[in-house]
Structures are given as C-alpha cells and as structure tokens.
Amino acid sequence: MPEPDRIVVNLQSAGYGEYDLEGPVQPEMRLLEISYDRASGHGCYAMRMEPGAETIAHVHDGFEEFLILEGDLVDSDGTVFGPGDFVSYRPAAHHNSRTEGGCRILVVERPG
C-alpha cells in the first residue's frame, strides 16, 4: 500500500512536461514537477535540457539549488558544472544557464 505522506518518482521513466517556469514554453527543455508548488515558487522538480538549450535569465526570491545528474551545464559566468556538482544560489542571485551536450538536473527552490 502506498505511503500517503511520501512522493516516489522515477526520474528515468517519468513523463516530463513542458518547461515554462521563466515565462514562455521552451520546447528544448522539459519539466517534471515533483513537489514544486507554482503558487509559492518552492519545491523540487527535475529538468531535462536538450543540447544547446539555454534558460531565460532570471532572479529567484529564495534559494535555488540544483544537482547535475547527467551532462553539462554552463552558467552565465562561464562556470561549467558536471555530474555530481551541487550548486546553491542565494536569494536575489541573477543568472541563466545553458548546456552544450544536454543535461538532466534536480532543482530545489526554497524560501530565503
């Protein structure tokens, strides 16, 4: 019997939907909302980015933290992140990211 206070998601087989967190749908990116609440802007989600995809520059009210699961992610300052890298941005940080070869990341957004 499933535990009612637990969410279990398989990031390999789950269906990812459209990515639109910075406004318009970005077809080269996909989103899997796990515990993410759009009203508060807090929670956890996974993202898949196709090779060459780039996020729209954005500022977060709270912390944005992510773990690179696969591939590469290049931040706006040129820093390259790879599998196993955990990145934590403080509230009010302004950035965007892109990927050369594609990537999958797990993101947590929480209050500042």
Side-chain angles (χ1 to χ4, degrees):
M1 172 175 261
E3 173 61 45
D5 296 325
R6 175 176 60 208
I7 299 170
V8 178
V9 176
N10 184 303
L11 299 182
Q12 302 286 352
S13 62
Y16 286 63
E18 293 182 325
Y19 184 89
D20 63 350
L21 294 184
E22 278 83 56
V25 171
Q26 293 180 262
E28 68 282 3
M29 296 165 45
R30 305 294 289 170
L31 175 68
L32 176 60
E33 296 180 46
I34 300 169
S35 64
Y36 185 71
D37 176 65
R38 286 180 178 257
S40 69
H42 300 141
C44 181
Y45 57 90
M47 286 175 59
R48 283 195 330 224
M49 297 173 69
E50 298 297 323
E54 185 169 349
T55 65
I56 296 169
H58 55 280
V59 177
H60 292 275
D61 293 333
F63 287 89
E64 178 188 51
E65 300 175 321
F66 54 85
L67 174 64
I68 309 298
L69 301 171
E70 299 174 348
D72 68 274
L73 192 69
V74 183
D75 209 51
S76 52
D77 68 359
T79 303
V80 179
F81 305 114
D85 286 335
F86 181 83
V87 182
S88 181
Y89 285 98
R90 297 184 190 278
H94 181 271
H95 77 111
N96 77 300
S97 304
R98 62 183 171 80
T99 180
E100 297 291 324
C103 69
R104 183 170 25 188
I105 67 175
L106 185 66
V107 182
V108 175
E109 297 202 32
R110 61 184 179 87

